[in-house]
Amino acid sequence: MYSTSEYLLTLGGILLVGLATDAIGRRTFLPRVTLLLLFGVLIGGQVFDLIPQVFTDRFDIIANMALLMVGFLLGGKLTADFLKQSASKTLWISISTAVVTALVVTVILMAVGISASMAIILGCIASATAPAATMDIVLESDCKGPFSDLLLSIVALDDVWGLILFSIGIALVSILAGNTEHTAQIYIAIRDIGGALILGVLLGFPAAYLTGRIRKGQPMLMEALGLVFLCGGIAIWLDVSFLIASIAMGAIVANFARHHEYPFHEIENIEWPFMTIFFVLAGASLELDMIKEIGLIGGVYIISRITGKLLGARIGAGFCKADTVTRCWMGFALLPQAGVAMGMALVAANRFPEYQQILLTVVISSTVFFEIIGPVFTRVALRRARGG
């Protein structure tokens, strides 16, 4: 009974704070994502310790639910009409940003004396971004247009390239260490990504045909959430990427459900409460003490990742002859980094225990920086692209 009251009080308080941060974010330069993260830091264990354990124990479930909705919405942006206009830009900029960031971080870290193995791992991790934060900033800013659509399509592909680079990096480090056993990591990545894409397609086609056949209103919401959570549950059970699976399913529904667009509208209507809880709990889980331990490696990592994102986006935009606004500001919009990078760091730490301490310290501390500061840059980029 006591834990139930704690849970409900915390849930109600967080949702009301979400309303306040939305209002504040519209009147200040800080996006609501950053405000929610900062609020989470304040009520988390690092400061006032106000969040009950019964709530934080369920963070993984809430995070997965929020990310599944984000993936579905991102997939919905990958329509045939959009890709006809921007496929070249999406591919060039997304691949260039991921690859150039990984190379720049690796080379600079090696130049300051970091071992090649550690530099390669950190370089690959640096390629990842934060789809949830990026999606929320676009929705909050209401900056609809070519730039925001291109940004979301790039973010939708970002995890794919990040996972591929990370898998190649792990295999390369294993070879450098004289251990060829981990070269199987590339095949694991192929199974993870390929399996997720197949699952998304298999669920997407019947969903595209069957949804929207009953009536408007509540059934549409039930259909949308049912599909998204079913996709996530099967993906986790099969041990494939649930985010990529939901992106693939969203893309199939968006392209083949010619008779309606309701699932995407319904998900957008209910997504914000989940995102509010997700970002507050993410802020509460940030380990601020790690900032003190960031040291030279962490500082170089942050600077080189920013450099890599800006340079990579500019190079990719140049290859596809994108407009000046895209060349100048897309790199800034891709700076947020969060859960995907943490997942990569944990995998690498388990594979190479000798790098565990320094690897987790650098990634966790830099995540604090990019999760709080990154959304500010994204918002600035969106406003500049809009001409504000």
Side-chain angles (χ1 to χ4, degrees), residues 6-7 9-18 21 34-53 55-56 276-286 288:
E6 279 188 323
Y7 193 87
L9 284 169
T10 304
L11 181 62
I14 289 176
L15 291 176
L16 290 175
V17 166
T21 56
T34 300
L35 292 169
L36 288 171
L37 289 166
L38 292 174
F39 174 71
V41 170
L42 286 176
I43 66 174
Q46 299 284 309
V47 185
F48 295 116
D49 197 17
L50 299 178
I51 300 182
Q53 188 68 32
F55 206 83
T56 55
T276 298
I277 300 168
F278 169 70
F279 286 120
V280 169
L281 292 182
S285 67
L286 293 177
L288 299 182

Side-chain angles (χ1 to χ4, degrees), residues 44-295:
Q46 299 284 309
V47 185
F48 295 116
D49 197 17
L50 299 178
I51 300 182
Q53 188 68 32
V54 67
F55 206 83
T56 55
D57 286 346
R58 291 162 174 78
F59 177 46
D60 286 347
I61 297 175
I62 295 170
N64 289 346
M65 291 169 72
L67 288 173
L68 280 165
M69 295 182 200
V70 168
F72 188 67
L73 291 173
L74 286 175
K77 303 297 180 182
L78 301 176
T79 61
D81 291 338
F82 173 78
L83 291 176
K84 285 178 183 177
Q85 301 173 355
S86 304
S88 175
K89 293 180 183 177
T90 300
L91 290 173
W92 272 113
I93 297 175
S94 62
I95 293 173
S96 175
T97 305
V99 173
V100 171
T101 299
L103 290 175
V104 168
V105 173
T106 300
V107 171
I108 293 179
L109 286 175
M110 289 176 64
V112 298
I114 306 303
S115 68
S117 296
M118 175 63 70
I120 290 171
I121 294 173
L122 287 173
C124 295
I125 291 173
S127 64
T129 54
T134 307
M135 169 66 82
D136 186 74
I137 296 163
V138 171
L139 293 176
E140 175 199 19
S141 302
D142 197 27
C143 297
K144 296 180 180 179
F147 184 88
S148 61
D149 289 342
L150 180 60
L151 171 61
L152 292 178
S153 66
I154 290 170
V155 171
L157 295 179
D158 183 76
D159 273 346
V160 177
W161 310 137
L163 285 170
I164 291 173
L165 285 173
F166 180 71
S167 302
I168 294 172
I170 291 293
L172 183 58
V173 171
S174 298
I175 293 171
L176 291 175
N179 182 2
T180 58
E181 177 184 352
H182 293 316
T183 55
Q185 182 70 23
I186 295 177
Y187 300 103
I188 294 174
I190 293 173
R191 185 206 67 185
D192 188 21
I193 297 169
L197 290 173
I198 292 171
L199 174 62
V201 170
L202 290 177
L203 291 176
F205 277 112
Y209 178 76
L210 295 174
T211 56
R213 301 290 184 181
I214 306 174
R215 64 181 175 86
K216 298 179 182 179
Q218 188 179 1
M220 296 305 304
L221 178 59
M222 293 170 63
E223 288 172 350
L225 288 179
L227 284 170
V228 168
F229 295 154
L230 179 67
C231 177
I234 296 175
I236 292 172
W237 178 60
L238 293 175
D239 195 25
V240 299
S241 172
F242 65 85
L243 183 59
I244 294 175
S246 63
I247 290 173
M249 183 176 70
I252 294 296
V253 172
N255 283 284
F256 292 92
R258 301 297 183 184
H259 56 291
H260 71 84
E261 294 181 353
Y262 291 111
F264 300 100
H265 298 318
E266 295 300 333
I267 289 290
E268 286 179 357
N269 292 337
I270 199 175
E271 179 201 23
W272 176 231
F274 286 91
M275 297 293 283
T276 298
I277 300 168
F278 169 70
F279 286 120
V280 169
L281 292 182
S285 67
L286 293 177
E287 299 183 27
L288 299 182
D289 292 340
M290 285 293 183
I291 295 178
K292 302 175 184 177
E293 304 178 20
I294 190 169

